[in-house]
Amino acid sequence: MLEKTYLSSPFGCWEIQGSELGISRVQLTEKTSCPEEPVPQALQDGVRQLEEYFRGERREFDLKLDFGRAPDFNVAVWKQLLQVPYGHTTSYLAIAEALNNPASVRAVGQANAHNPIAIIVPCHRCIAKSGDLQGYFYGLDMKRALLELENPASFARQGTLF
């Protein structure tokens, strides 16, 4: 049975869904505050690990994931994203090449855009081959903030001297 809960973070309120098959959805909501309710048993590990991630204490997730009936190509992209280490980035082209299909770079971008399990499947770590931040469903400011959380030395915003 699909269950749902919410998690408050420095980035906003996240809705988490899943079942005994695994986490199937982590999405930022438009809620200004998260509903406070008991966390279903099937989602407790996911909530705990996401809390640790947002506190900067977790670098890898150890959770069952349920991609449901997603297209095989999307699942292949998401599995490649799971290989990108904390604090590092990859490019859409590198993922396409890892799938032995360099011409699929735009399809990789579309798979990222349809990633139902944000943060845990780290599509925020995928950037343009030029190094520019591109395409994140929560906007580039959120993408930068998540990358900064993971690697402040490389992604922190530069201040001004004057």
Side-chain angles (χ1 to χ4, degrees):
M1 178 171 87
L2 189 63
E3 301 192 79
K4 173 173 68 171
T5 193
Y6 295 92
L7 171 66
S8 182
S9 81
F11 301 95
C13 178
W14 298 87
E15 181 179 293
I16 303 163
Q17 293 180 8
S19 69
E20 64 281 345
L21 297 176
I23 301 292
S24 58
R25 187 172 181 82
V26 175
Q27 297 293 301
L28 189 63
T29 72
E30 294 182 8
K31 297 178 184 303
T32 54
S33 64
C34 284
E36 294 202 20
E37 52 193 39
V39 177
Q41 180 69 35
L43 303 178
Q44 288 180 0
D45 281 345
V47 168
R48 179 182 52 79
Q49 290 187 33
L50 283 164
E51 287 173 335
E52 292 167 355
Y53 170 83
F54 289 124
R55 287 193 308 259
E57 299 169 358
R58 176 166 290 275
R59 294 174 169 253
E60 293 180 21
F61 292 96
D62 180 25
L63 298 166
K64 291 190 309 182
L65 303 178
D66 178 11
F67 295 118
R69 295 185 177 134
D72 291 343
F73 180 82
N74 288 13
V75 172
V77 169
W78 301 333
K79 287 182 176 181
Q80 284 297 312
L81 288 169
L82 290 168
Q83 304 305 309
V84 181
Y86 180 94
H88 292 81
T89 57
T90 191
S91 69
Y92 300 98
L93 177 60
I95 297 229
E97 289 172 342
L99 297 173
N100 294 315
N101 190 351
S104 69
V105 69
R106 288 185 184 200
V108 168
Q110 284 302 306
N112 277 6
H114 292 94
N115 172 17
I117 309 175
I119 309 300
I120 296 169
V121 176
C123 57
H124 61 279
R125 295 180 190 156
C126 200
I127 61 175
K129 71 178 181 179
S130 66
D132 291 339
L133 298 186
Q134 279 187 328
Y136 191 56
F137 38 65
Y138 300 124
L140 296 183
D141 287 341
M142 174 69 80
K143 187 172 197 166
R144 177 176 294 283
L146 291 168
L147 292 171
E148 183 178 339
L149 170 72
E150 295 183 11
N151 188 340
S154 293
F155 293 101
R157 292 186 187 265
Q158 185 72 23
T160 60
L161 295 175
F162 306 99

